[in-house]
């Protein structure tokens, strides 16, 4: 039986610059099982998708208990290592972030995303350090993916994006982060510069309008995440299908859907995992 420690070490080893770990994010047990069946080596959660599935908005609207409950259900649904998006840590201070991290590990996940929302660097350093300390005390090498929210900067400032991202990346690495995560960048050259200038593996978001996985790999990226885009697409299909049925009385939007028997088989004891 694979232990949590084994999964954590394996997950960590997959962060290879130029040969990125690809993570199609899930938001509940069912989507996690689907992602795993598609061949994902690991399963990542999307905080937005999790929140929506629980009837909440994204942006720290969930309680810690709700978030940890969702993580527990997802880790129970798949054998693959799971990394959890914990937004700002579901806490107002570093001690609370440490408590959340202990809960994440108890729920069976081996990685986290922790976003900075461009808060003062010293404050985020303290939060990352608290997460690192809490994880290390358990003996499990939790992968701390430090999200740097420089996508919030005014558009068009390539130099400003690089300066701020690199400054924060260096501080977060010193605090104990294991990876750097950016949602967007001005261009692939900026991504390459980030990769070359930080000692940590770089994670980039992939979605409509973003560079392809092969382009990100060429830039040296070590991890590619879908974020909330798959959940958004799933809900968009639900809306299109509902609207078509209500207004036209037809169901063409549902053509090519997941076969019932195949989908149901994922949840039976004899399912391949």
């Amino acid at each position: 039986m694979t232990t949590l420690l084994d999964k954590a070490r394996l997950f960590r080893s997959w962060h290879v610059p130029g040969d990125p770990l690809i993570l199609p994010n899930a938001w509940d047990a069912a989507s996690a099982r689907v992602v795993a069946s598609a061949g994902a080596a690991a399963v990542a959660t999307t905080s937005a998708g999790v929140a929506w599935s629980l009837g909440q908005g994204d942006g720290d609207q969930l309680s810690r208990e709700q978030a940890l409950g969702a993580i527990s259900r997802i880790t129970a649904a798949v054998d693959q290592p799971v990394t959890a998006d914990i937004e700002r840590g579901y806490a107002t201070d570093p001690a609370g972030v440490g408590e959340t991290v202990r809960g994440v590990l108890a729920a069976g996940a081996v990685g986290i995303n922790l976003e900075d929302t461009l808060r003062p660097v010293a404050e985020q350093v303290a939060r990352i350090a608290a997460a690192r300390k809490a994880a290390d005390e358990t003996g499990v090498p939790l992968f701390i993916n430090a999200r740097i929210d420089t996508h919030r900067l005014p558009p068009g400032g390539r130099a400003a994006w690089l300066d701020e991202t690199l400054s924060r990346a260096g501080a977060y690495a010193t605090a104990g982060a294991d990876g750097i995560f950016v949602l967007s960048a001005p261009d692939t050259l900026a991504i390459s510069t980030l990769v070359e200038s930080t000692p940590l593996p770089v994670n980039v978001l992939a979605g409509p309008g973003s560079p392809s996985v092969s382009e990100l790999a060429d830039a040296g990226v070590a991890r590619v995440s879908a974020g909330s885009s798959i959940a958004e697409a799933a809900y968009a299909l639900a809306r299109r299908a509902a609207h078509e049925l209500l207004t036209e009385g037809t169901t063409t939007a549902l053509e090519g859907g997941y076969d019932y028997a195949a989908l149901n088989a994922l949840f039976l004891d004899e399912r391949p995992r």
Side-chain angles (χ1 to χ4, degrees):
M1 181 178 180
T2 304
T3 67
L4 194 65
L5 179 59
D6 293 333
K7 288 183 177 181
R9 288 171 172 165
L10 189 60
F11 182 71
R12 179 175 294 270
S13 73
W14 288 334
H15 291 75
V16 180
D19 184 19
L21 172 64
I22 301 173
L23 297 172
N25 300 65
W27 57 94
D28 59 12
S31 59
R33 190 72 60 77
V34 169
V35 165
S37 73
V43 174
T45 72
T46 158
S47 63
V50 170
W52 298 332
S53 74
L54 296 175
Q56 301 283 347
D58 189 26
D60 262 14
Q61 298 300 303
L62 289 182
S63 68
R64 178 189 290 138
E65 291 70 24
Q66 287 176 307
L68 294 178
I71 295 167
S72 294
R73 290 188 291 275
I74 289 170
T75 60
V78 298
D79 292 330
Q80 286 84 345
V82 173
T83 182
D85 183 345
I86 62 168
E87 303 191 59
R88 303 166 199 172
Y90 302 112
T92 58
D93 58 17
V97 173
E99 185 176 345
T100 298
V101 164
R102 285 187 286 273
V104 166
L105 287 164
V110 296
I112 60 168
N113 286 351
L114 186 61
E115 63 192 62
D116 68 3
T117 62
L118 291 187
R119 71 171 70 242
V121 173
E123 291 182 13
Q124 188 66 7
V125 161
R127 295 166 80 85
I128 292 171
R132 178 82 279 151
K133 182 175 184 291
D136 289 350
E137 287 174 348
T138 72
V140 177
L142 180 80
F143 193 98
I144 300 175
N145 204 29
R147 197 180 100 178
I148 301 176
D149 290 337
T150 36
H151 62 280
R152 296 169 180 257
L153 294 174
R158 186 177 187 278
W161 184 92
L162 270 173
D163 288 346
E164 188 67 21
T165 304
L166 288 172
S167 175
R168 287 175 178 265
Y172 298 166
T174 301
D178 300 293
I180 295 300
F181 182 25
V182 293
L183 299 192
S184 63
D187 46 52
T188 53
L189 180 58
I191 295 172
S192 296
T193 302
L194 175 60
V195 168
E196 293 166 1
S197 303
T198 177
L200 299 181
V202 173
N203 179 194
V204 177
L205 195 70
S210 74
S212 67
V213 170
S214 62
E215 290 173 318
L216 293 173
D218 289 343
V221 168
R223 174 167 157 180
V224 177
S225 305
S228 62
S229 60
I230 296 176
E232 291 169 21
Y235 289 125
L237 173 59
R239 188 185 189 284
R240 285 198 304 275
H243 183 265
E244 180 188 352
L245 185 61
L246 290 167
T247 60
E248 304 295 331
T250 56
T251 58
T252 57
L254 297 176
E255 294 175 3
Y258 214 130
D259 176 74
Y260 169 84
L263 181 57
N264 196 53
L266 296 179
F267 302 92
L268 302 177
D269 290 341
E270 64 269 20
R271 69 188 183 277
R273 291 174 65 183

